[in-house]
Amino acid sequence: MPPLKLHAHPFSSYCQKVLVALYENATPFEYRLLGDAASMQELESLWPMKRFPVLVDGDRTVFEASTIIEYLGLHHPGPVRLIPEDPKAAIEVRMLDRVFDNYVSTPQQKVVFDRLRPEEARDDYGVAEARRMLDIAYAWLDRWMDGREWASGGRFSLADCAAAPFLFYADWTHPIEERWANVRAYRKRLLARPSFARAVDEGRPYRPLFPLGAPDRD
């Protein structure tokens, strides 16, 4: 059995973020698929917050997607370095990772989770603010990606592991308009990356679960 166990669900954007890192380096792991009561109880025994993904490596448990990717780079490195060795370059990669987490994924999930609430409990103001934040993030990212292939340093990194699933679902939730051509092109490159294409395909059977309705594309 491989030493690593990943407790994850293939339709989760944060799980896809880690899966991209694992697939980039062909790192062997046991996929502990979440979904039934028993798997969720096992998850809760590891991390009472019941948030995923969670990585188990022997007697060590690691949670939070960015931290898991950092851990893999230190303890299970492969040919693709997702965090640069140069500390100055690494700062930019980590900064971009936080941008995608906080200003793309967080507002995107706000819109989605609001739809799961009973209609009388929905937060129209909060959803409008989340959509406004996505517009600001798209505009900023469009300028940032001008002339760039990947988010930082000219090579695929932790920042792109974050960007791939978060922009994927963000465009479903709050479409990336044609005026943000650099963002649209970047998202297309991410979808063509074999590691992310694999993660997308693994999540494809779960598309009916998307509460806003998954578009017939991607």
Side-chain angles (χ1 to χ4, degrees):
M1 294 294 290
L4 298 173
K5 295 181 182 180
L6 184 72
H7 297 257
H9 191 281
F11 203 52
S12 158
S13 58
Y14 281 93
C15 293
Q16 289 177 3
K17 177 177 174 177
V18 171
L19 288 168
V20 168
L22 289 164
Y23 296 157
E24 280 289 320
N25 283 303
T27 305
F29 69 100
E30 179 185 347
Y31 201 141
R32 304 288 288 179
L33 181 66
L34 298 170
D36 60 19
S39 66
M40 294 305 295
Q41 287 175 358
E42 185 179 6
L43 176 71
E44 186 176 11
S45 71
L46 296 167
W47 179 218
M49 293 295 180
K50 294 188 286 187
R51 298 296 179 92
F52 44 88
V54 168
L55 183 77
V56 177
D57 184 10
D59 59 359
R60 179 173 290 180
T61 300
V62 187
F63 35 85
E64 296 298 317
S66 297
T67 309
I68 292 172
I69 294 172
E70 293 247 16
Y71 179 87
L72 290 170
L74 284 172
H75 298 280
H76 299 272
V80 181
R81 291 192 63 90
L82 297 172
I83 299 171
E85 289 186 89
D86 175 40
K88 293 180 180 178
I91 286 174
E92 184 175 275
V93 167
R94 291 187 177 99
M95 177 186 75
L96 270 293
D97 173 63
R98 303 320 305 144
V99 168
F100 289 117
D101 271 25
N102 293 326
Y103 306 114
V104 177
S105 181
T106 294
Q108 183 270 329
Q109 291 192 344
K110 166 68 177 176
V111 177
V112 169
F113 291 155
D114 190 79
R115 184 60 64 91
L116 295 172
R117 294 177 174 179
E119 190 168 354
E120 65 275 10
R122 289 180 183 168
D123 177 13
D124 292 343
Y125 177 82
V127 167
E129 284 295 293
R131 291 187 180 279
R132 186 177 71 86
M133 182 178 288
L134 283 169
D135 281 338
I136 294 170
Y138 292 163
W140 180 86
L141 184 59
D142 197 68
R143 295 191 298 272
W144 178 265
M145 291 304 301
D146 188 22
R148 288 182 166 91
E149 180 181 16
W150 304 114
S152 179
R155 53 190 282 184
F156 196 87
S157 71
L158 164 67
D160 304 294
C161 293
F166 299 159
L167 287 175
F168 176 70
Y169 287 116
D171 188 49
W172 285 10
T173 302
H174 188 72
I176 301 168
E177 298 175 11
E178 292 185 6
R179 57 180 166 146
W180 296 309
N182 292 325
V183 183
R184 289 166 65 92
Y186 177 43
R187 183 179 182 273
K188 186 175 181 179
R189 287 194 297 276
L190 291 165
L191 279 163
R193 187 85 176 184
S195 57
F196 185 52
R198 178 178 174 182
V200 169
D201 282 342
E202 289 173 346
R204 201 174 294 276
Y206 301 94
R207 291 190 177 194
L209 299 176
F210 193 68
L212 302 176
D216 187 21
R217 54 182 171 86
D218 298 328

